[in-house]
Amino acid sequence: MRISQLAETTGVPVATIKYYLREGLLPEGERTSATQAQYGDDHVRRIRLVRALVGVGGLSVATARSVLEQLDAEHDSVAEMLGVAQGAVTPTAVDGLDVGRARALVDGWGWTIDPGSHDVLAALEVAISGLEAAGFDLPDGRLDGYAEVMATVAEAEIAGIPVDSVDAAVQYVVLGTVLVEPLLLALRRLAQQDASWRRFGV
Amino acid sequence: MRISQLAETTGVPVATIKYYLREGLLPEGERTSATQAQYGDDHVRRIRLVRALVGVGGLSVATARSVLEQLDAEHDSVAEMLGVAQGAVTPTAVDGLDVGRARALVDGWGWTIDPGSHDVLAALEVAISGLEAAGFDLPDGRLDGYAEVMATVAEAEIAGIPVDSVDAAVQYVVLGTVLVEPLLLALRRLAQQDASWRRFGV
């Protein structure tokens, strides 16, 4: 199909598609003349994916490109895939940030984590420091409770990784990391409303 | 203390403090001359809070201002506080977005939600549409599982609302909504690494 049809099929304007092409988010079509190219179903799927990453996932164009590169790359192990997926969406830690407390917490929960995941440990450290800086003390046991709940979530997620196809596994891990976050946050907010209603009746 | 001491105490540069003052994130000090003002411990606490909201919380200056206004405002009920806290950090839904599916899910879980929380329902709808658009099918029962887990989280959070002080309750609800989100996401990523290690051993 031509770019105008691609725009019609996906509901994404031609100008936006051209922007995705320039930014390397979408592979070039098959050139049929100096000014025209043909696009296929792969392009339709890729455009929908880009929209999801940039829109719902809230990623920047640069981060989306990095996630897409991971989807297209070869991976040796689930741990490696997970590492690169998490790396793509976790901000790089400030140089020299002490993650000793985060490390001690993770050790206390008995979790084994990737030795290279300094940035994810740093994200935990930063989140806890942020609560402290704001003068918000988590009630006793709350942090352990959050960790327990997230361990349950992660257990089901990792158990569900498709093992019959590398492509499917990569897609599951990368998109599951990026796109499930907004889902969990929306569910938490709605569940809080229900819990508030049941407790306070207003 | 003078603004230079305020900068030293908080570790925030004078230029940034002046920016917070201009943007209304920080109340004016008590003016002692045409060019000088005195600041107190309230200013120190407020600057730490602003840093947490804008830094860890990842809020824009405009959203941080709106959250701070909620902290400073009078509230009649927990539901109202929760609604405004969630409203401040939930993007406004696109006009005319159909939230029928999100509504049906919430009804199916037996959750009672604030009739005015269209935007939070929309966030759920957008998150689910994003997964679909990316071609990521959640395994059967996964969505219900996420909802169940978040109901457990929310139950503990709402049960922990301090009832002896309105100020403490407002602080708990507003900051708990905004600042716990990055904590949960960091924990999920670390828990995934542990689950992956236990399942795949690499």
Side-chain angles (χ1 to χ4, degrees):
Chain A
M1 69 189 89
R2 291 163 58 172
I3 197 166
S4 55
Q5 289 165 285
L6 186 60
E8 205 168 302
T9 306
T10 58
V12 174
V14 169
T16 306
I17 294 177
K18 288 187 172 169
Y19 173 69
Y20 290 169
L21 287 164
R22 277 199 307 279
E23 290 290 327
L25 297 171
L26 186 68
E28 297 289 335
E30 194 184 333
R31 201 151 284 283
T32 51
S33 79
T35 57
Q36 289 199 351
Q38 284 290 317
Y39 300 89
D41 289 345
D42 283 356
H43 290 90
V44 172
R45 275 194 292 275
R46 176 56 69 105
I47 287 175
R48 293 203 168 122
L49 178 54
V50 171
R51 296 295 272 187
L53 294 175
V54 175
V56 181
L59 303 191
S60 68
V61 165
T63 307
R65 190 191 300 117
S66 147
V67 168
L68 291 168
E69 279 165 8
Q70 295 311 331
L71 280 174
D72 295 338
E74 301 260 324
H75 296 288
D76 289 335
S77 70
V78 171
E80 191 200 314
M81 268 195 288
L82 195 61
V84 291
Q86 294 187 339
V89 293
T90 303
T92 307
V94 179
D95 268 353
L97 179 74
D98 179 6
V99 298
R101 174 170 51 175
R103 164 71 63 188
L105 282 166
V106 165
D107 288 346
W109 296 320
W111 292 358
T112 304
I113 60 163
D114 184 345
S117 62
H118 177 80
D119 286 348
V120 186
L121 275 176
L124 175 58
E125 180 64 41
V126 167
I128 295 172
S129 312
L131 288 164
E132 281 179 350
F136 184 80
D137 296 320
L138 288 176
D140 279 351
R142 175 69 53 83
L143 188 56
D144 293 336
Y146 284 145
E148 199 181 318
V149 157
M150 284 302 144
T152 309
V153 164
E155 186 76 34
E157 288 174 330
I158 297 297
I161 292 181
V163 290
D164 48 344
S165 144
V166 173
D167 276 2
V170 173
Q171 168 133 340
Y172 179 96
V173 170
V174 175
L175 299 181
T177 300
V178 179
L179 293 178
V180 170
E181 295 190 348
L183 176 66
L184 287 170
L185 299 183
L187 288 171
R188 173 171 175 250
R189 292 179 190 174
L190 290 165
Q192 285 176 333
Q193 293 189 10
D194 175 59
S196 158
W197 187 86
R198 278 185 291 105
R199 191 166 186 89
F200 299 103
V202 281
Chain B
M1 69 189 90
R2 287 161 59 171
I3 197 166
S4 55
Q5 291 167 283
L6 186 60
E8 205 167 302
T9 306
T10 57
V12 174
V14 169
T16 306
I17 295 178
K18 287 186 174 169
Y19 173 69
Y20 290 169
L21 287 165
R22 278 199 307 278
E23 290 290 327
L25 296 170
L26 187 68
E28 297 290 334
E30 195 185 330
R31 202 151 281 284
T32 52
S33 79
T35 57
Q36 290 198 351
Q38 285 289 318
Y39 300 89
D41 290 345
D42 283 355
H43 289 91
V44 172
R45 274 194 293 275
R46 174 56 67 105
I47 286 175
R48 293 202 169 123
L49 178 55
V50 170
R51 296 294 273 188
L53 294 176
V54 174
V56 182
L59 303 191
S60 68
V61 165
T63 307
R65 191 192 298 117
S66 146
V67 168
L68 292 168
E69 278 165 8
Q70 296 310 331
L71 280 174
D72 296 338
E74 302 260 326
H75 296 287
D76 288 335
S77 71
V78 170
E80 191 199 313
M81 270 195 287
L82 195 61
V84 293
Q86 295 187 338
V89 293
T90 303
T92 306
V94 178
D95 269 354
L97 179 74
D98 180 4
V99 298
R101 176 170 51 174
R103 164 72 62 187
L105 283 166
V106 165
D107 288 346
W109 296 321
W111 292 359
T112 304
I113 60 164
D114 184 344
S117 62
H118 177 79
D119 286 348
V120 187
L121 276 175
L124 175 57
E125 179 63 41
V126 167
I128 295 172
S129 312
L131 289 165
E132 281 179 349
F136 184 80
D137 295 322
L138 289 176
D140 279 351
R142 176 69 53 82
L143 188 56
D144 293 338
Y146 284 145
E148 200 180 318
V149 157
M150 284 301 145
T152 309
V153 165
E155 186 76 34
E157 289 174 330
I158 297 296
I161 293 180
V163 290
D164 48 345
S165 144
V166 173
D167 276 2
V170 173
Q171 169 134 341
Y172 178 96
V173 170
V174 175
L175 299 181
T177 299
V178 178
L179 293 178
V180 170
E181 295 190 348
L183 176 65
L184 287 170
L185 299 183
L187 289 171
R188 172 171 175 251
R189 292 179 191 176
L190 290 165
Q192 284 176 333
Q193 293 189 10
D194 174 58
S196 159
W197 187 85
R198 278 184 292 105
R199 190 167 188 88
F200 298 103
V202 280

